Amino acid sequence: MAGNTLDTYLTQYESLLNHGLFTKPQVEKQKKLTALMHTLHVHHQQQCLPYRKLFPNELGPLTNYADFPYLAVRLFKVMQLQSIADHEIFRTLLSSGTTGQTPAKVVLDSLTSARQSKALVKIMQEFIGKARLPMLIVDSPQVLKNPAFSARAAGVQGMAFFGRKPVYALREDMSLDVEAVKAFAEDNVGQPVLIFGFTFMVWLHFVQALEDRVIRLPLEQGIVIHSGGWKKLADKQVNNATFKAGLKATCGIAKVHNFYGMAEQVGSVFVECEKGHLHAPSVADIVIRNPYTLAESACGEEGLIQVISALPTSYPGYSILTEDLGRMLGEDNCLCGRLGRHFEVTRRLPKTEIRGCSDTGSRE
């Protein structure tokens, strides 16, 4: 990023990140975030030739997210889009290692990677606090040893920062390590603990595995953070309420937070509040678009979710149209007290391949 543009961007970004993630009224937040989107648009026009070819024109004084350019998420599966020189690539992130699916590829420089980590920490601390709790990771330690760094590995590595003394609940073949999880529970009876895993894996390889063995773990003070894989659970008639009931029955856990995020926008996640709604932090937001006209949908109408993130500068991923369907539930009026937009994800767009990182482990 060129000097003046970088200075402008950093000033705008720090203003969003460090002055209340969920305390700005939507009007105030949107004013700041649209100014930053202008800066990112200019930056990617200057540094990414494919982006410039797609969007060669200058933008006017836009104030609505819906008027900004956006990229279809599928584009990251067929092109390597980057706004940095090759020697500046710090890490290449792949969205999925699943056989038969084409992974998205996202290139990160060290600055974008650092912003992702810092933003993730600040957002998650709003829901789980700042104390680093004993942590149970519902995955296998082998996930971090794959030379192709997947979004699943990035998720495990990123969330591991929030815990201490991590214990992995699964073996490499995705079977439950019963001795390990029992020992973890016994060591932390009556204490707050953090449990993290991808949704599909938590249900299939943890909750169901405990049910099969008629095991109940004394983890009533635990907090569960999970994300991804709802499509396969929907096929099994498992919704959010069923998922939470399963954790309550097998572990006694009542604090369960789902979060929605994209491998193409790591760091700027949307976390489920105590009222069951996903919230946009100050550094990110959403637009709902009609799937047929792509016009912005009204509050309450189901449509395609467009995700906006202030974080990426190494690739043009600040505004992405996903293949997920959802609906806006409100602005500044969630009963949990957090301001900004809150929403729900309803389903995948029909005939799109199953996303990712959490869908890699199957169980018949």
Side-chain angles (χ1 to χ4, degrees), residues 239 361 364:
N239 57 24
E364 300 301 330

Side-chain angles (χ1 to χ4, degrees), residues 288-291 297-298 300-304 325-327 346-347:
I288 303 295
R289 292 184 181 273
N290 183 293
S297 299
E301 292 181 357
E302 185 183 60
L304 282 169
L325 293 164
R327 60 170 62 90
T346 52
R347 57 195 171 107

Side-chain angles (χ1 to χ4, degrees), residues 168-233:
Y168 286 83
L170 307 182
R171 300 186 181 92
E172 187 173 4
D173 64 357
M174 297 292 106
S175 63
L176 183 67
D177 189 337
V178 176
E179 294 75 20
V181 297
K182 280 187 171 180
F184 176 85
E186 290 169 2
D187 289 344
N188 296 288
V189 170
Q191 303 296 320
V193 299
L194 177 62
I195 299 175
F196 169 72
F198 290 97
T199 307
F200 182 66
M201 298 175 69
V202 171
W203 179 261
L204 200 62
H205 304 302
F206 185 65
V207 173
Q208 284 200 330
L210 290 172
E211 289 177 344
D212 290 346
R213 293 166 175 78
V214 198
I215 297 173
R216 190 181 190 283
L217 301 175
L219 296 172
E220 289 81 359
Q221 301 304 311
I223 302 172
V224 174
I225 300 289
H226 68 100
S227 180
W230 282 108
K231 172 65 167 59
K232 279 194 173 182
L233 293 191

